[in-house]
Amino acid sequence: MNLTLGIDTSTDVRVGLAKDGQILASRAVHDRRAHAELLLPLVSEVMDQAGAQFAELTAVVVGVGPGPFTGLRVGVVAALTLAEVLDAEVKGVCSLDVIALDWAERGDAPADFVVVADARRKEVYWARYDAAGARLDGPFVTKPDQVPELPLAGPGAALTGRVGVGPEEFNAGLLAAGADRLTAAGLEPLYLRRPDAEVPTKRKSTLVMPRIAMMGPR
Amino acid sequence: MSDSGGPLVLGIESSCDETGIGIVRGRELLANEVASSVAEHVRFGGVVPEVASRAHLSAMVPALRRACASADVDLSELDGIAVTAGPGLMGALVVGLSAAKALAVALNKPLYGVNHLIGHVAVDLLDHGPLPAECAALLVSGGHSSLLHVRDITGEVSELGATIDDAAGEAYDKVARVLGLAYPGGPAIDELAAQGNPKAIAFPRGLTAGKDQAKHRFDYSFSGLKTAVSRWVETERLAGREVPTADVAASFQEAVADVLTAKAVAACNYLGVDTLLLGGGVAANSRLRTLLAERTAAVGVTLRRPRPGLCTDNGAMIAVLGSAVVAAGRRPSALEIGADPGMPISTVLA
Ligand SMILES: [Zn+2]
């Protein structure tokens, strides 16, 4: 038996469970600011409702973004820790790929399309896919007007000023069930942006540089 | 509960730039793995929260693996998982908190979200055994300068005073930059000060004037001192004189140590306690240690200080506080707790 837990915190909080490739649960809590609070209670609830024991998990698959950094790390560290202590396999996948796979499996995906997510600061994350959901290009972070004029899917589609026609949300159940069909993207979050911090270039006559340097994006 | 020696607890620390995993059984230290990202912050001259958070994520599971290997315990025997819930940097705290929650659900163990500052006090249990019924604690590090009144480490700790602006360690970092020394400033200034005259320059002692006694009797302020050092150095440079950096370092360090120790000893006297505990990274500072030893001895106060390796941020301090909290029968934290960057000292357990 293959019991796979799927976790994605690249937008809000999403948890799925699949047994031998069949979705047992796909849950979401629509809160983008409380990943650390909500993720593990949701994982625990999903396991309980499925009548599954943590010791039975054989794999944990996690969306490694792109997405807001703090929330993303909550999902990734939880997946890594669960896999470590349960001796389960762990796999990171590009979160946008899950939406592409969803559209491909629905059967009406165009030959060339784009999945878009909100990157905040008036930018979007996006990647280009073929009809089978294979990633052709990306992921990138750009201004919304740089997203190619192709059919759109994903939670950030509307930010381009156009209308999305594909799946809008991450399906964590599919993330778990489709783990084998999703390309491994490593276990580092896909940050795409460097940390914000100013390097002091020369000694200042008035000491204004705080020990805590400039805040990075949340 | 484990067979002997008190509760077996794994502790996770990620409030600033050290990723720590500690394992203790009661007051016995079984593992203490720390990975520091301090080198990555050097070129910024301060801790960059996003850089620290990324480093925590990379370091967490390897540190966990090393701690488990060196403690040689079965995680199924744990009595609880303790984790720093605050205070600290939000993005950094949530990495440790989420790892702790994952362990708690996977192992079906209770979760204890504890206060980082109180962990700095609790860690001395590992070196010097139980605390007296009441004591005072002076915590000094890059992030904190606080005077605490400790009656029960698992539930009754209050703050007598704290810095109203910069932490002592921040002042060290800033003065180090003025003198062209490396970050972090503490060790660099300590070393340079050894060759200087601490009485060469009379730098100000913040909040020690009579008018400050009513409102800020046990509070600290290092912002004025830092500015005074900066102005003094600037004046010398503008006048074309060579800056006696060792004298500046020694005189600055003397001002910091003087005010820290004077108020700590006054606090012991005010509380009527006979034990003072020194914790935090700056506890390694030689002048602070010497002066505090002299001044506590003069008034018959016992000075306790954990070994230097346990003074800086680490997981063992969180584990030992967690173990004390379990032994006291405190209720575990809810799985829904969040990180609290401004967690008050009165909250031992979230
Ligand atoms: Zn600390």
Side-chain angles (χ1 to χ4, degrees):
Chain A
M1 184 204 71
N2 199 324
L3 189 66
T4 302
L5 181 71
I7 291 175
D8 192 288
T9 54
S10 65
T11 54
D12 47 18
V13 181
R14 289 172 186 255
V15 175
L17 189 66
K19 191 176 186 175
D20 297 325
Q22 297 298 308
I23 297 175
L24 297 182
S26 189
R27 298 277 306 274
V29 183
H30 302 284
D31 187 327
R32 290 166 183 249
R33 306 211 153 260
H35 301 90
E37 287 86 341
L38 302 171
L39 176 64
L40 272 307
L42 184 61
V43 167
S44 181
E45 203 180 304
V46 163
M47 293 295 283
D48 277 354
Q49 282 178 0
Q53 301 293 318
F54 278 94
E56 296 169 340
L57 282 178
T58 48
V60 181
V61 53
V62 60
V64 294
F69 304 158
T70 296
L72 203 53
R73 278 189 286 265
V74 166
V76 174
V77 80
L80 291 171
T81 307
L82 287 170
E84 173 71 13
V85 67
L86 298 169
D87 211 9
E89 276 180 53
V90 62
K91 180 177 185 177
V93 305
C94 172
S95 299
L96 304 174
D97 290 5
V98 182
I99 290 178
L101 179 66
D102 202 356
W103 203 355
E105 298 209 335
R106 227 167 66 176
D108 62 347
D112 200 348
F113 66 93
V114 174
V115 177
V116 188
D118 187 358
R120 300 182 187 175
R121 304 181 192 182
K122 297 181 177 149
E123 290 187 319
V124 290
Y125 297 120
W126 60 273
R128 240 182 80 208
Y129 296 87
D130 69 14
R135 182 154 26 104
L136 303 172
D137 212 1
F140 304 108
V141 58
T142 69
K143 298 281 174 218
D145 60 12
Q146 287 170 269
V147 174
E149 297 276 340
L150 291 167
L152 301 179
L159 296 170
T160 63
R162 292 181 276 145
V163 180
V165 286
E168 275 179 33
E169 300 199 319
F170 296 100
N171 179 343
L174 179 64
L175 171 64
D180 292 342
R181 280 163 287 156
L182 290 159
T183 309
L187 292 163
E188 273 271 293
L190 297 168
Y191 290 117
L192 306 192
R193 285 180 180 139
R194 297 162 66 84
D196 284 1
E198 283 184 345
V199 184
T201 48
K202 61 179 177 207
R203 199 153 47 219
K204 294 178 180 165
S205 57
T206 49
L207 301 170
V208 292
M209 186 73 183
R211 184 170 197 269
I212 303 305
M214 265 182 62
M215 296 297 288
R218 280 288 163 81
Chain B
M1 192 137 315
S2 352
D3 34 332
S4 68
L8 181 67
V9 173
L10 182 143
I12 301 181
E13 155 62 29
S14 73
S15 64
C16 190
D17 57 354
E18 332 274 356
T19 312
I21 306 271
I23 302 175
V24 305
R25 193 190 303 275
R27 296 197 305 270
E28 184 193 354
L29 179 62
L30 303 178
N32 188 29
E33 292 295 331
V34 181
S36 178
S37 63
V38 65
E40 294 175 55
H41 304 289
V42 168
R43 70 193 178 96
F44 302 107
V47 175
V48 182
E50 176 60 23
V51 171
S53 303
R54 290 184 183 192
H56 283 305
L57 179 60
S58 309
M60 192 59 69
V61 167
L64 175 66
R65 194 174 295 162
R66 289 197 306 274
C68 291
S70 72
D72 195 25
V73 293
D74 192 334
L75 291 181
S76 67
E77 293 166 21
L78 287 174
D79 294 302
I81 312 292
V83 62
T84 300
L89 302 169
M90 183 56 137
L93 287 166
V94 299
V95 177
L97 181 63
S98 302
K101 288 184 177 187
L103 285 177
V105 300
L107 299 166
N108 194 25
K109 301 293 180 186
L111 176 77
Y112 298 88
V114 300
N115 189 304
H116 173 87
L117 294 174
I118 299 171
H120 275 303
V121 177
V123 76
D124 195 52
L125 298 174
L126 294 170
D127 280 346
H128 301 109
L131 293 172
E134 262 187 88
C135 70
L138 172 63
L139 301 185
V140 205
S141 77
H144 14 272
S145 306
S146 313
L147 262 174
L148 310 182
H149 181 200
V150 183
R151 269 172 294 200
D152 173 357
I153 191 101
T154 71
E156 231 182 310
V157 181
S158 52
E159 189 170 76
L160 280 173
T163 180
I164 60 166
D165 40 57
D166 300 342
E170 283 178 273
Y172 267 89
D173 292 343
K174 288 168 185 172
V175 168
R177 188 173 309 130
V178 170
L179 297 178
L181 302 172
Y183 169 87
I189 287 184
D190 200 6
E191 198 180 319
L192 184 60
Q195 297 140 40
N197 175 6
K199 295 197 173 104
I201 309 148
F203 286 129
R205 271 66 169 159
L207 302 181
T208 53
K211 66 178 168 59
D212 296 316
Q213 293 308 300
K215 223 178 130 197
H216 294 297
R217 188 171 173 193
F218 298 119
D219 286 330
Y220 295 112
S221 166
F222 297 106
S223 173
L225 169 61
K226 160 204 89 188
T227 309
V229 173
S230 162
R231 288 220 182 98
W232 194 92
V233 169
E234 185 113 335
T235 306
E236 294 300 295
R237 284 196 180 123
L238 287 174
R241 288 189 288 268
E242 191 174 333
V243 177
T245 52
D247 285 349
V248 173
S251 300
F252 160 75
Q253 173 146 295
E254 190 64 16
V256 173
D258 182 25
V259 67
L260 282 173
T261 54
K263 292 203 176 202
V265 170
C268 292
N269 184 37
Y270 167 78
L271 296 170
V273 300
D274 61 4
T275 303
L276 175 69
L277 200 147
L278 175 63
V282 181
N285 180 272
S286 64
R287 184 57 190 149
L288 177 62
R289 253 170 31 212
T290 314
L291 194 57
L292 198 54
E294 277 170 27
R295 287 182 172 176
T296 48
V299 294
V301 167
T302 304
L303 177 63
R304 287 175 58 146
R305 185 177 67 95
R307 76 191 94 148
L310 293 179
C311 284
T312 45
D313 294 350
N314 63 77
M317 69 190 227
I318 303 307
V320 69
L321 176 54
S323 186
V325 160
V326 174
R330 303 277 172 200
R331 267 239 301 277
S333 305
L335 196 54
E336 290 78 13
I337 60 166
D340 183 357
M343 192 172 186
I345 198 78
S346 52
T347 306
V348 178
L349 183 61

